[in-house]
Structures are given as C-alpha cells and as structure tokens.
Amino acid sequence: MSLAGKLAQERRARLAAERLLDMKQAELSAANRKLGLHAMALTKRIGETQAEVETVRDENEKVKSDLTLANAKIEVAERRLWHSIQTIQDGFAFFDDQSRLIGANAAYLSVFDGVEDVAPGITYSRILEILTSEGLVDIGSDSAADWQARMLTRWAQPHPEPVVIKLWNGHYFKLIDQRGNGGDVVSLGLNITASVRHEAELKAARERAEAANRAKSAFLANMSHEIRTPMNGIVGMTELMSETPLDEEQRLYLNTIRNSGEALLVIINDVLDYSKIEADKLILHPEQFDFERCILEVAMLLQPSVRDKGLSLLVDYDLFLPTLFVGDPGRVRQVLTNLVGNAVKFTSEGHVLIRVTGVPNPDANICDIHVAIEDTGIGIEADKIRHIFGEFNQVEDERNRQFEGTGLGLAITKRLIALMGGSVWVESEFGQGSCFGFRITLPTVEGPQPTPPDLADCPRHVVVVEDLAVNRAILSKQLGRLGSQVTVCASGGEALAVVDDSVDLLLCDHDLPDMDGLELATTLKDRGWADLPVVVMSANPGVIHANPARHLIEGVLQKPIPRAELYSRLMALGRTPQEQDTIAVRAGEQHQEPDKTGKNQRLMRVLAAEDNRTNQLILEKMVKDLNIELRFAGNGIEAVQEHRDFDPDLIFMDISMPNMDGKQATAEIRRREIGTKRHVPIVALTAHAMVGDDQGILSAGLDHYLTKPLQKMKIHQMILDNQPEEALSVIAEDAEPD
Ligand code: ADP
C-alpha cells in the first residue's frame, strides 16, 4: 500500500477515532448532566427532610416543656388542694373501693388523737372499732357491736344517709359520705356542735315560750270564766227585773245595763274562744242541723242593726242544695255571725248578701258548701287585706276607728273553719265593698231533704217588684227554677204598666222608690185587678200588719225570706182555704201540747245542781210561774243524793261545781241507773265557752246543754219538753207559757 494510501487510511482511522471520541464525550457529558441534576434533586430532598426533622425536634421539645409545666401546675394545684383540705375545720378523708383509707386531713385524724393505726391503708371497719374501743364516740345505750354494725350497714349503702355522731368531748359531727363511680368514697365529717347547741337553746326557748303562752291562755280562759259568772248574774237579773213594773227611765237604764252586759259577754266569749282554740281545747259537736235555717237565724239576729242602718240583708240559698247536714251548728252560727256581723258593721249603705252554693256528692253523702258574704261597705285596702285574719288585727284608719271590736272575730273564724276542714278567704275593693267566703264539706243527712214544691202548684207568671237589683235577681232565679215565668220591675209604676191577665201573682217589696207595697196593691185594685194576689215582702212586717190596707194583700213575707216560706206561700196560693187550714194544723202538731188529762196527781220534779247563789235565784225566779217542784243541790255530791231522795223528772246540771263537778255527778247518776230502766234527762248548764271543752259533756251522759246566761224561754221549753205524763201540767191553768 502506498504511503498516501496508508496516510489516507490512517487519517480515516483517526477521523473515525475522533468521531467516536466526540460521540463518547457527548454521551459522557449527557450522563454527567443527568448525574448533576440527580445530585441536585437529592440535595434538595435532603434539605427538606432535614427541615422536617428540625420541626419535629422543635415540637418534641415544646411538648416536653409543656408537660413539665403541666406537671408543675398539677403539683401546685394538688399542694394547694391538700393545703386547703388540711386547713378546713371539718374532717375530710378518701377511701378506695376496698374501703381502705387513702388519705385524711388533720381534722379527721385529730379525732383519733394519735392512735397510730389510723393511717393510709386502714379499713373503715377498723376505724369504727377504734372509735368504740378507745371510747372516742358516745354510743349511748347501744352495744359497741351494734353501733359498729349499724354504721357499717349504712356505709355499704350506694348513697349512705348522713348520720350525726357525738364524740367523747361533747362535740357533734355530721358524717356525709359520697360514693363515686369507681367505688371510692369521699367522707366528710362536719362539726355541727355549735348549731346543735343553738338548736337545743332554741328548743328550750320555744318550750319556755309555749309554756308561757299556755299559761297565758289558761289565765285568760280562767279570767274570762270568772268574769262571766258575775256577768251572767247581772244579765240574768236584768231579765228578771225587766218583768217587774218599771217607769220609762228605769227601763232605759235597765236596758242599757243589759245591753252593755251582753256586749261585754260577747267580748269575753271572743277572748275565751280564742284562748281555747290556742290551747287546742276547742272541739266540734256534730249533730244534724238545717244549714239554711242557721243562716236565717243569724240574719234574723242581725236584722235590728240592718234595719237601723237602712241596709238590705239578702239570702240566696241555692235551690237545689240540700239543707240538712251534720255539723256543729253552734260553731257554724258563730262563723256566720262573725262574717255577716262584720259585713253589716262595716257597711253604711247598700246591701249585705249571703250567697250559698254547693256541690253535693250523693255517692259519698257529702256536700261541698260555698258561702259568700258580699257587702257594699267600706272595703279593705289591698295592703291590709293579708293581715285581717291575724289576731287582734284591725284595719287602722279613720274610717275604721269608729267601729268597735276586739279584732279576734276573723282569727276565730279562720280557726273554726280550719277545724271543720274548710278554708276561708276574702276579696275586697277599697271603698266599694268586700266579699268574705268560706268553703266546708259536710256530710248530708241521710234520708229525704226538704223538697221544692210541686211545680204544678206554682204560679205560672209572677211579677216581682223590687228596687234592689240583687234581690230581683235572686227572686227571679228562685221562681224561674220552679218553672214560673218571671217579670221583674224596679218600681210600682213599672209594675202597673206590665200587669195583664196572664199574671198569677205580684210579689212586691214594701219599700219601693215611688210607692209602698200597700199603695201598689190599692192602685191595682182600683184599676180592676182586684183578683190578682199580692204578696208584700218587708224586713219589718209589723208596719204592714198595722196598716188598714193590709186586707188588700194576700200575705206578708219577712225578709230575708226563708225558701221554705216562699214555697209554702206559693203553693198555698193554688189551694182552697180548707187545704190551707189543714197545713196550719199539721204545722201546729210539732208543738207539744201540755197534758190536760186531769188524772195527774203530782207536780213535775225538777232538780237544779248549781253552786252559785245568784244563779240559783235566777233559775228559781225564771220557773216561778211553772207548776213544778224545784229543788237545788249545791254541788255534784248533793246532786247524786237528791237524785236518789227526790227522784227528779229532770235535772239541770251546772258543770263547774266544787267537790264533784257536773260531769262526774252525771256519770255517777248514770251508773246508778244501770238496770233500773230509768234515764232521767239531764241538761248541762254551761258557760258559753265550756261548750266543747271536751267530749265529756255529752259523753258523760248529759242529754242536752243550755248556755249561760240562762234564758227563761229556753228553760221553760226544756221543762215543757220533758214533763212526764203522770205529772200535772207544768203550765198553770191561769198562766200563759212563754
Ligand atoms: P273586729 O272585732 O274588729 O270586727 P275582726 O277580726 O272581725 O275584728 O275583723 C278584723 C278587721 O277586719 C276589722 O277591724 C276590719 O278592719 C276588717 N274587716 C272585717 N270585715 C270587714 C268588712 N266586711 N268590710 C271591711 N272591713 C272588714
């Protein structure tokens, strides 16, 4: 090969080698670049990871320092808590679920006074043993074992009741134990020594106060009783004296003495009643009574003051309410007298309305009775109303000062109603009037109640003439319920305008604004309504009876009108005169006729056991007109003797007498009567306040009782009611019974 060839060959080879080298170098630098990029990425990731590690490390540090801080805080809190627990005066301890002591404060441990066993780990039962064996606790009359057993039983309860223990040094601790969810128990021992002592002092003070109050009540009761005896003498004597010839002036003086005496007795009775209620000595004497009649009696009693003041006293007794109940009529009357008496006292114009409604429960034979007493009087200010049922509380203002009173009436009323199981309330509008109400539940008398009249007998169309709206409403309700058509008029003029042929009866008030009832009747007759029956209502019927025009009217009804009276008057209108006579005779049958057989030989024998000479004298004078043989016994022993020697037909028995009181004497007489088939009627003569002194009066064998001051009429009635058939009539031939 030529050199040139060889050179060319070499050059080609060199060029090829150089190309290969370039290529390899390019590959190498690409690989290098790739490696560089990798290295860079790696470095970046390493940097990031390092930063993360840094952060985590920082956080770890923070948590660590927080934990240390928290631990420190817990330690401080625990120290403070424990310090507090240590410093409190009351004992504090924790027990685990095995009843082992975990810890206790100094107060708790101090009770054990250095007994070393009492330390964490000791069981509750062992603590109880130490308390008794070391004499640390006063277990009274219990044995140590019993006391421990009782305390352990209590401890085992899920929620142990607090218990009070007394320590040897006279300190009292109240143990309050609280069981947690895990069974741990937190035990607190409160030192209640001061409050126990305070309570004991209070109790002693209360007992002293109660004893003083009882002594005061007993003193009051005694005093009023002592005052009553001479007062009864005074009032009784005035009654007798009023029957002797007296001139005008003497009669006036005598009436004043009697009225003052009676007023004083009312006050004394209030005080006495109150002290008896206070001393829990007042009891009720239930018997059958007519509630409506009771109300009407009270209304009648108050009628004189009602009339003097020009008021109207109205009774609205629910037509369908029974009237016969079992209760203490004396006390019911007392409540009514207080409330209605107040209403009249504090009202100077307008009316007083007694409204009685009720809900009978025939299944249980009882009836809920609501009585409301409304007046149009001075009313009571709102801020005073709460106090008036309190003792001796009277509204103090110039309008009230003119009224007398003890301030005890409502307090007594409230207590009496409470004793009957009822409640009393009041609503009032100052200057407008008041409404006092009470509710009692009374058993109804089994058997028939007085029934409303037969509807067929009632007038079909009645014109009621009455200027007082309340009374118009009451009458139209009462008549409406009987099925009558009622037309109401407020004046005589109005009545004259409405009367027509359909009217069967005109019922009119006597005191109408334009004319009186008799003038209205006269005008009606003049206008040709001669056949229309007119019945006039008046609180003072005497005035009508004295008027010559009286014959023009059918009859007079005294206000407040008893329902029975209204009904019988309405029914009588539909009857013939003969039928009416029969009714009158039947009514008369209730009165016992004196024995007039003429066969009787001896006088009725009446024994009066009464130690007080004045009362003996009064009684003697009161019965002097009666045909009886009267004998006195000065005390219970004498009464028993006279019962044997005198063989009385009736005994009046004073209750409080020396040596043997009336109840003992009666019991002895009843004992002697056993097997003799005899039962002499014995009538207790009691001071008002002794009624209900205890069950003794009637249960001692007494049949009736009369209250002092003695009333001639009641004494006579009692003798009349009990005169024996074989004795001469007690009414002397020439004498009129009272
Ligand atoms: P008092 O013997 O004074 O009547 P009460 O206990 O019966 O005693 O009544 C207490 C007071 O209540 C009365 O003094 C009077 O201020 C007031 N009060 C009672 N009833 C009425 C009434 N119907 N209207 C106005 N005030 C009355």
Side-chain angles (χ1 to χ4, degrees), residues 290-292 295 315-325 354-357 369 474 478 563 567:
D290 187 320
F291 193 62
E292 189 185 13
I295 292 174
V315 180
D316 181 7
Y317 195 100
D318 185 340
L319 204 63
F320 294 112
L321 191 67
T323 62
L324 297 181
F325 297 102
I354 309 170
R355 204 188 285 280
V356 188
T357 51
I369 307 169
I474 295 175
Q478 288 186 333
R563 269 186 324 164
Y567 295 158

mmCIF file of all heavy atoms in Angstrom, residues 290-292 295 315-325 354-357 369 474 478 563 567:
data_model
loop_
_atom_site.group_PDB
_atom_site.id
_atom_site.type_symbol
_atom_site.label_atom_id
_atom_site.label_comp_id
_atom_site.label_asym_id
_atom_site.label_seq_id
_atom_site.Cartn_x
_atom_site.Cartn_y
_atom_site.Cartn_z
ATOM 1 N N ASP A 290 -130.098 22.221 110.228
ATOM 2 C CA ASP A 290 -130.574 22.791 108.978
ATOM 3 C C ASP A 290 -129.740 24.036 108.683
ATOM 4 O O ASP A 290 -129.836 25.043 109.389
ATOM 5 C CB ASP A 290 -132.057 23.159 109.132
ATOM 6 C CG ASP A 290 -132.667 23.602 107.815
ATOM 7 O OD1 ASP A 290 -131.986 24.319 107.056
ATOM 8 O OD2 ASP A 290 -133.825 23.232 107.546
ATOM 9 N N PHE A 291 -128.896 23.919 107.650
ATOM 10 C CA PHE A 291 -127.938 24.985 107.360
ATOM 11 C C PHE A 291 -128.659 26.273 106.948
ATOM 12 O O PHE A 291 -128.286 27.368 107.361
ATOM 13 C CB PHE A 291 -127.004 24.522 106.243
ATOM 14 C CG PHE A 291 -125.800 25.396 106.067
ATOM 15 C CD1 PHE A 291 -124.880 25.538 107.081
ATOM 16 C CD2 PHE A 291 -125.588 26.082 104.885
ATOM 17 C CE1 PHE A 291 -123.768 26.349 106.930
ATOM 18 C CE2 PHE A 291 -124.472 26.893 104.727
ATOM 19 C CZ PHE A 291 -123.567 27.027 105.753
ATOM 20 N N GLU A 292 -129.685 26.106 106.158
ATOM 21 C CA GLU A 292 -130.396 27.297 105.698
ATOM 22 C C GLU A 292 -131.044 28.014 106.890
ATOM 23 O O GLU A 292 -130.992 29.236 107.011
ATOM 24 C CB GLU A 292 -131.463 26.925 104.664
ATOM 25 C CG GLU A 292 -132.052 28.154 104.006
ATOM 26 C CD GLU A 292 -133.201 27.837 103.063
ATOM 27 O OE1 GLU A 292 -133.706 26.710 103.082
ATOM 28 O OE2 GLU A 292 -133.591 28.738 102.312
ATOM 29 N N ILE A 295 -128.584 30.020 108.765
ATOM 30 C CA ILE A 295 -128.285 31.302 108.119
ATOM 31 C C ILE A 295 -129.403 32.302 108.392
ATOM 32 O O ILE A 295 -129.156 33.461 108.719
ATOM 33 C CB ILE A 295 -128.103 31.090 106.599
ATOM 34 C CG1 ILE A 295 -126.833 30.278 106.370
ATOM 35 C CG2 ILE A 295 -128.047 32.409 105.858
ATOM 36 C CD1 ILE A 295 -126.619 29.874 104.954
ATOM 37 N N VAL A 315 -130.556 36.725 101.413
ATOM 38 C CA VAL A 315 -130.018 35.367 101.439
ATOM 39 C C VAL A 315 -130.344 34.697 100.110
ATOM 40 O O VAL A 315 -131.503 34.682 99.692
ATOM 41 C CB VAL A 315 -130.624 34.538 102.595
ATOM 42 C CG1 VAL A 315 -130.057 33.136 102.589
ATOM 43 C CG2 VAL A 315 -130.377 35.213 103.928
ATOM 44 N N ASP A 316 -129.321 34.187 99.452
ATOM 45 C CA ASP A 316 -129.528 33.487 98.184
ATOM 46 C C ASP A 316 -129.014 32.057 98.364
ATOM 47 O O ASP A 316 -127.831 31.776 98.191
ATOM 48 C CB ASP A 316 -128.747 34.213 97.077
ATOM 49 C CG ASP A 316 -128.934 33.551 95.725
ATOM 50 O OD1 ASP A 316 -129.770 32.633 95.625
ATOM 51 O OD2 ASP A 316 -128.255 33.962 94.770
ATOM 52 N N TYR A 317 -129.924 31.173 98.762
ATOM 53 C CA TYR A 317 -129.542 29.782 99.049
ATOM 54 C C TYR A 317 -129.888 28.946 97.827
ATOM 55 O O TYR A 317 -131.050 28.905 97.411
ATOM 56 C CB TYR A 317 -130.309 29.290 100.279
ATOM 57 C CG TYR A 317 -129.749 28.030 100.868
ATOM 58 C CD1 TYR A 317 -128.930 28.065 101.981
ATOM 59 C CD2 TYR A 317 -130.042 26.788 100.308
ATOM 60 C CE1 TYR A 317 -128.413 26.905 102.536
ATOM 61 C CE2 TYR A 317 -129.526 25.624 100.851
ATOM 62 C CZ TYR A 317 -128.721 25.689 101.964
ATOM 63 O OH TYR A 317 -128.207 24.533 102.504
ATOM 64 N N ASP A 318 -128.887 28.328 97.255
ATOM 65 C CA ASP A 318 -129.079 27.564 96.017
ATOM 66 C C ASP A 318 -130.268 26.609 96.152
ATOM 67 O O ASP A 318 -130.353 25.814 97.083
ATOM 68 C CB ASP A 318 -127.799 26.768 95.730
ATOM 69 C CG ASP A 318 -127.863 26.051 94.396
ATOM 70 O OD1 ASP A 318 -128.985 25.857 93.893
ATOM 71 O OD2 ASP A 318 -126.801 25.699 93.868
ATOM 72 N N LEU A 319 -131.149 26.729 95.171
ATOM 73 C CA LEU A 319 -132.404 25.991 95.215
ATOM 74 C C LEU A 319 -132.218 24.479 95.299
ATOM 75 O O LEU A 319 -132.991 23.773 95.921
ATOM 76 C CB LEU A 319 -133.166 26.334 93.934
ATOM 77 C CG LEU A 319 -134.648 26.184 93.959
ATOM 78 C CD1 LEU A 319 -135.245 27.131 94.961
ATOM 79 C CD2 LEU A 319 -135.196 26.474 92.572
ATOM 80 N N PHE A 320 -131.168 23.992 94.661
ATOM 81 C CA PHE A 320 -131.012 22.536 94.597
ATOM 82 C C PHE A 320 -130.023 21.999 95.618
ATOM 83 O O PHE A 320 -129.637 20.845 95.575
ATOM 84 C CB PHE A 320 -130.603 22.119 93.177
ATOM 85 C CG PHE A 320 -131.698 22.404 92.201
ATOM 86 C CD1 PHE A 320 -131.554 23.386 91.237
ATOM 87 C CD2 PHE A 320 -132.898 21.726 92.283
ATOM 88 C CE1 PHE A 320 -132.577 23.664 90.356
ATOM 89 C CE2 PHE A 320 -133.926 22.000 91.410
ATOM 90 C CZ PHE A 320 -133.775 22.975 90.439
ATOM 91 N N LEU A 321 -129.615 22.863 96.522
ATOM 92 C CA LEU A 321 -128.656 22.427 97.537
ATOM 93 C C LEU A 321 -129.431 21.847 98.717
ATOM 94 O O LEU A 321 -130.404 22.439 99.170
ATOM 95 C CB LEU A 321 -127.842 23.647 97.991
ATOM 96 C CG LEU A 321 -126.629 23.367 98.854
ATOM 97 C CD1 LEU A 321 -125.588 22.622 98.045
ATOM 98 C CD2 LEU A 321 -126.046 24.672 99.370
ATOM 99 N N PRO A 322 -128.979 20.680 99.228
ATOM 100 C CA PRO A 322 -129.652 20.150 100.422
ATOM 101 C C PRO A 322 -129.514 21.149 101.569
ATOM 102 O O PRO A 322 -128.640 22.028 101.530
ATOM 103 C CB PRO A 322 -128.874 18.878 100.744
ATOM 104 C CG PRO A 322 -128.018 18.594 99.575
ATOM 105 C CD PRO A 322 -127.865 19.842 98.790
ATOM 106 N N THR A 323 -130.370 21.040 102.565
ATOM 107 C CA THR A 323 -130.242 21.964 103.695
ATOM 108 C C THR A 323 -129.904 21.241 104.992
ATOM 109 O O THR A 323 -129.400 21.841 105.918
ATOM 110 C CB THR A 323 -131.547 22.763 103.926
ATOM 111 O OG1 THR A 323 -132.583 21.843 104.243
ATOM 112 C CG2 THR A 323 -131.926 23.575 102.717
ATOM 113 N N LEU A 324 -130.165 19.925 105.032
ATOM 114 C CA LEU A 324 -129.896 19.197 106.282
ATOM 115 C C LEU A 324 -128.515 18.559 106.234
ATOM 116 O O LEU A 324 -128.223 17.743 105.355
ATOM 117 C CB LEU A 324 -130.955 18.115 106.499
ATOM 118 C CG LEU A 324 -132.382 18.624 106.686
ATOM 119 C CD1 LEU A 324 -133.343 17.465 106.915
ATOM 120 C CD2 LEU A 324 -132.449 19.588 107.865
ATOM 121 N N PHE A 325 -127.664 18.953 107.181
ATOM 122 C CA PHE A 325 -126.296 18.446 107.210
ATOM 123 C C PHE A 325 -125.949 17.984 108.618
ATOM 124 O O PHE A 325 -126.709 18.220 109.561
ATOM 125 C CB PHE A 325 -125.314 19.546 106.815
ATOM 126 C CG PHE A 325 -125.509 20.044 105.414
ATOM 127 C CD1 PHE A 325 -126.155 21.244 105.185
ATOM 128 C CD2 PHE A 325 -125.062 19.312 104.338
ATOM 129 C CE1 PHE A 325 -126.349 21.706 103.901
ATOM 130 C CE2 PHE A 325 -125.244 19.764 103.044
ATOM 131 C CZ PHE A 325 -125.887 20.952 102.822
ATOM 132 N N ILE A 354 -125.877 37.134 101.492
ATOM 133 C CA ILE A 354 -125.290 35.832 101.870
ATOM 134 C C ILE A 354 -125.652 34.866 100.753
ATOM 135 O O ILE A 354 -126.832 34.580 100.532
ATOM 136 C CB ILE A 354 -125.872 35.320 103.203
ATOM 137 C CG1 ILE A 354 -125.788 36.405 104.276
ATOM 138 C CG2 ILE A 354 -125.163 34.054 103.649
ATOM 139 C CD1 ILE A 354 -126.548 36.068 105.546
ATOM 140 N N ARG A 355 -124.630 34.410 100.054
ATOM 141 C CA ARG A 355 -124.901 33.543 98.904
ATOM 142 C C ARG A 355 -124.384 32.136 99.221
ATOM 143 O O ARG A 355 -123.222 31.979 99.611
ATOM 144 C CB ARG A 355 -124.150 34.089 97.693
ATOM 145 C CG ARG A 355 -124.744 33.690 96.371
ATOM 146 C CD ARG A 355 -123.814 34.115 95.257
ATOM 147 N NE ARG A 355 -123.806 35.539 94.964
ATOM 148 C CZ ARG A 355 -124.734 36.154 94.231
ATOM 149 N NH1 ARG A 355 -125.746 35.476 93.749
ATOM 150 N NH2 ARG A 355 -124.649 37.440 93.994
ATOM 151 N N VAL A 356 -125.240 31.147 99.086
ATOM 152 C CA VAL A 356 -124.823 29.774 99.412
ATOM 153 C C VAL A 356 -124.991 28.901 98.182
ATOM 154 O O VAL A 356 -126.091 28.785 97.632
ATOM 155 C CB VAL A 356 -125.667 29.186 100.566
ATOM 156 C CG1 VAL A 356 -125.103 27.854 101.011
ATOM 157 C CG2 VAL A 356 -125.726 30.141 101.723
ATOM 158 N N THR A 357 -123.889 28.336 97.744
ATOM 159 C CA THR A 357 -123.948 27.396 96.626
ATOM 160 C C THR A 357 -123.257 26.127 97.091
ATOM 161 O O THR A 357 -122.660 26.103 98.162
ATOM 162 C CB THR A 357 -123.210 27.945 95.392
ATOM 163 O OG1 THR A 357 -121.914 28.350 95.815
ATOM 164 C CG2 THR A 357 -123.934 29.121 94.783
ATOM 165 N N ILE A 369 -119.856 22.910 100.469
ATOM 166 C CA ILE A 369 -120.701 24.103 100.591
ATOM 167 C C ILE A 369 -119.838 25.366 100.501
ATOM 168 O O ILE A 369 -118.817 25.466 101.181
ATOM 169 C CB ILE A 369 -121.436 24.116 101.947
ATOM 170 C CG1 ILE A 369 -122.171 22.792 102.137
ATOM 171 C CG2 ILE A 369 -122.394 25.275 102.043
ATOM 172 C CD1 ILE A 369 -122.706 22.608 103.527
ATOM 173 N N ILE A 474 -132.177 37.353 92.641
ATOM 174 C CA ILE A 474 -132.366 36.160 93.479
ATOM 175 C C ILE A 474 -133.779 35.615 93.284
ATOM 176 O O ILE A 474 -133.979 34.420 93.045
ATOM 177 C CB ILE A 474 -132.161 36.497 94.970
ATOM 178 C CG1 ILE A 474 -130.717 36.915 95.222
ATOM 179 C CG2 ILE A 474 -132.513 35.308 95.845
ATOM 180 C CD1 ILE A 474 -130.472 37.373 96.652
ATOM 181 N N GLN A 478 -134.965 32.061 91.820
ATOM 182 C CA GLN A 478 -135.695 31.075 92.624
ATOM 183 C C GLN A 478 -137.033 30.709 91.977
ATOM 184 O O GLN A 478 -137.389 29.536 91.886
ATOM 185 C CB GLN A 478 -135.936 31.633 94.032
ATOM 186 C CG GLN A 478 -134.650 31.687 94.846
ATOM 187 C CD GLN A 478 -134.876 32.106 96.285
ATOM 188 O OE1 GLN A 478 -135.825 32.809 96.582
ATOM 189 N NE2 GLN A 478 -133.991 31.688 97.167
ATOM 190 N N ARG A 563 -136.581 30.107 102.102
ATOM 191 C CA ARG A 563 -137.086 29.473 100.875
ATOM 192 C C ARG A 563 -138.365 28.697 101.138
ATOM 193 O O ARG A 563 -139.329 28.769 100.386
ATOM 194 C CB ARG A 563 -136.036 28.485 100.335
ATOM 195 C CG ARG A 563 -135.099 29.084 99.377
ATOM 196 C CD ARG A 563 -134.224 28.004 98.797
ATOM 197 N NE ARG A 563 -133.899 26.959 99.782
ATOM 198 C CZ ARG A 563 -133.418 25.784 99.453
ATOM 199 N NH1 ARG A 563 -133.240 25.473 98.197
ATOM 200 N NH2 ARG A 563 -133.118 24.896 100.370
ATOM 201 N N TYR A 567 -141.876 29.017 99.250
ATOM 202 C CA TYR A 567 -142.532 27.898 98.564
ATOM 203 C C TYR A 567 -143.932 27.663 99.106
ATOM 204 O O TYR A 567 -144.891 27.523 98.364
ATOM 205 C CB TYR A 567 -141.748 26.602 98.754
ATOM 206 C CG TYR A 567 -140.393 26.603 98.135
ATOM 207 C CD1 TYR A 567 -139.410 25.729 98.581
ATOM 208 C CD2 TYR A 567 -140.086 27.457 97.076
ATOM 209 C CE1 TYR A 567 -138.163 25.723 98.026
ATOM 210 C CE2 TYR A 567 -138.826 27.455 96.523
ATOM 211 C CZ TYR A 567 -137.865 26.581 96.998
ATOM 212 O OH TYR A 567 -136.644 26.573 96.452
#
